[in-house]
Amino acid sequence: MVDRFRELEKPQGLRKKDVVLMATVTSFENVRHPRKSELRQFAELFAPLFQASSEEARRQAVAALSQNPNVPPAVALFIASQPIAIAAPFLASSPCLSDDLLIMIARTQGAAHARAIVRRQSLSPTVIDALVGLRHSLGPSRHTDERSGDISPAPEKAQQDHSEELRQRIKRLANHLHAPASDRLGMRTITPMQEALLVRFARTGEADHFCSALAEVLSASRWLAERIMLDISGRQLAVTLTGVAMPPEETVFVLKRLYPHLSETVAELTRADALLKDLDPIDCADRIETWRRADNYTYRQHTTATTASLSVSGADDLMAGLSTTRTDELSAGGASPDRRRAAIVGDDHARQVLRARQR
């Protein structure tokens, strides 16, 4: 970039201080992890060089620094306080501007700076609330008098009511997107009794009882609980216990008991702690529900088929039992052998008569 400005210096008459400013900015950009001394030196040099340079050089320098996350806070505040023609790209995209700094700039520099802040790709609920309160991004509300047809400014009370309504709506949305970890409404959550049972069975090494208790926690089949426990890495069980909001310390204890290799320490953390560190509770809860839906579909089909098979075999057994019972009753004295023989003969006679009629 310095070479580029040196090439443009002759035809466009750039001053030497413009080149020095851009050279300073370029050298600062090349340092990916600046030390405190380098940050302090850049902060001391930037303001005098910036003020002594031309407007075009200032814009180029601000555009270059708008993508740098290491800009010192003093330099960031200095740039953000410049006229909007220069500060706009920095306000709209700089990653080094904190929420407090954005709010201070919006309150002290005016509507143009606030509109530039609004164009940022992401804003925290705190900054949005402050911007709504300032009402810089909204033009003055106007209404028409129905009787005279004149356009006049809207009453101040109506503007305040609208701002308050918008502020409350933003707060509700922010609370919904950033719900606290204790908010488990609509999510499967382990009860204290179930937690105590899982810990006890893990402590005593009763894997069979642990599997039954885990199936009860998930309200799923034992087959799903067995599949989860068969993952010897322990990750599926960690996902399950995290998804049902089991406390991390209890989860680590259970994992270490059931999978001893997770007790090993690596980089000052046990493998169980490292496993839980990468898990997100919301993602784990979603994965559990996916497992449960698949288990419900598979287990229900298996149960239906088994029930149908048992029903058919049960009906056959019932009919066989009835036939046996009837034969036993006849043998035991319910009817004499002669009468049974007569009944059989009578049946043969009926069949012969039916055949004759069909001819």
Side-chain angles (χ1 to χ4, degrees):
M1 186 175 290
V2 177
D3 296 338
R4 176 188 171 192
F5 271 85
R6 286 176 178 174
E7 292 176 0
L8 297 176
E9 183 176 2
K10 293 183 180 179
Q12 296 185 1
L14 292 180
R15 297 183 301 176
K16 182 178 180 180
K17 292 185 178 180
D18 295 348
V19 177
V20 175
L21 173 64
M22 295 310 302
T24 304
V25 171
T26 303
S27 62
F28 180 75
E29 284 184 316
N30 292 333
V31 182
R32 293 186 178 182
H33 303 287
R35 295 173 295 182
K36 292 184 178 180
S37 59
E38 294 173 337
L39 292 174
R40 184 172 59 254
Q41 183 180 7
F42 178 75
E44 294 174 354
L45 292 176
F46 182 80
L49 292 174
F50 187 87
Q51 294 174 349
S53 302
S54 63
E55 184 175 355
E56 182 62 26
R58 294 179 183 180
R59 291 179 179 177
Q60 294 289 340
V62 170
L65 292 176
S66 63
Q67 305 300 325
N68 193 317
N70 300 320
V71 177
V75 176
L77 178 60
F78 176 78
I79 296 176
S81 303
Q82 297 300 313
I84 191 60
I86 296 175
F90 192 81
L91 292 173
S93 60
S94 176
C96 65
L97 292 174
S98 63
D99 290 349
D100 294 338
L101 194 55
L102 289 173
I103 293 173
M104 184 182 69
I105 293 299
R107 288 176 177 174
T108 58
Q109 298 301 319
H113 287 69
R115 293 192 185 97
I117 294 174
V118 170
R119 290 196 293 268
R120 293 178 68 88
Q121 187 174 1
S122 61
L123 289 173
S124 67
T126 304
V127 177
I128 294 175
D129 191 16
L131 292 175
V132 171
L134 291 173
R135 290 173 297 181
H136 285 319
S137 58
L138 300 177
S141 302
R142 305 176 70 85
H143 72 284
T144 304
D145 191 344
E146 296 180 355
R147 292 176 297 179
S148 62
D150 296 335
I151 299 178
S152 59
E156 183 67 21
K157 183 178 180 180
Q159 294 182 8
Q160 293 178 356
D161 293 342
H162 176 72
S163 299
E164 182 63 26
E165 180 184 357
L166 185 58
R167 183 184 294 107
Q168 295 301 327
R169 184 182 303 176
I170 292 173
K171 287 183 177 180
R172 288 194 297 269
L173 291 175
N175 292 334
H176 175 71
L177 294 175
H178 304 280
S182 58
D183 185 6
R184 302 285 300 178
L185 183 62
M187 302 174 67
R188 185 168 301 277
T189 306
I190 191 171
T191 64
M193 179 63 69
Q194 293 171 339
E195 178 185 331
L197 287 174
L198 290 180
V199 172
R200 176 183 177 181
F201 294 145
R203 181 185 295 110
T204 57
E206 301 177 71
D208 186 67
H209 293 328
F210 185 93
C211 184
S212 300
L214 183 62
E216 180 67 23
V217 171
L218 298 176
S219 299
S221 68
R222 184 182 174 88
W223 176 85
L224 176 60
E226 290 176 352
R227 288 294 302 271
I228 291 173
M229 294 181 64
L230 283 175
D231 179 18
I232 61 175
S233 68
R235 183 172 183 81
Q236 290 191 8
L237 183 58
V239 169
T240 303
L241 299 181
T242 302
V244 297
M246 190 169 181
E249 58 275 8
E250 302 293 352
T251 302
V252 170
F253 175 81
V254 170
L255 291 174
K256 290 180 179 179
R257 285 287 183 172
L258 295 179
Y259 308 101
H261 66 278
L262 295 181
S263 301
E264 300 177 3
T265 302
V266 178
E268 299 182 357
L269 282 178
T270 62
R271 293 185 183 273
D273 290 320
L275 192 60
L276 291 183
K277 185 179 180 181
D278 299 332
L279 296 180
D280 179 57
I282 303 301
D283 293 341
C284 293
D286 293 340
R287 185 170 298 184
I288 289 175
E289 293 305 317
T290 303
W291 291 346
R292 290 186 66 257
R293 284 194 297 269
D295 174 71
N296 188 28
Y297 177 77
T298 305
Y299 186 69
R300 181 181 297 174
Q301 281 193 341
H302 177 71
T303 304
T304 304
T306 305
T307 304
S309 176
L310 290 175
S311 300
V312 173
S313 61
D316 293 341
D317 294 341
L318 179 61
M319 294 302 294
L322 291 175
S323 301
T324 304
T325 303
R326 181 62 178 166
T327 304
D328 294 341
E329 289 177 353
L330 292 174
S331 303
S336 63
D338 295 337
R339 294 186 61 182
R340 284 189 284 114
R341 189 179 299 110
I344 296 174
V345 172
D347 291 341
D348 292 340
H349 178 69
R351 294 192 191 96
Q352 293 174 4
V353 172
L354 180 60
R355 292 194 190 101
R357 288 181 179 178
Q358 289 177 349
R359 291 174 185 171

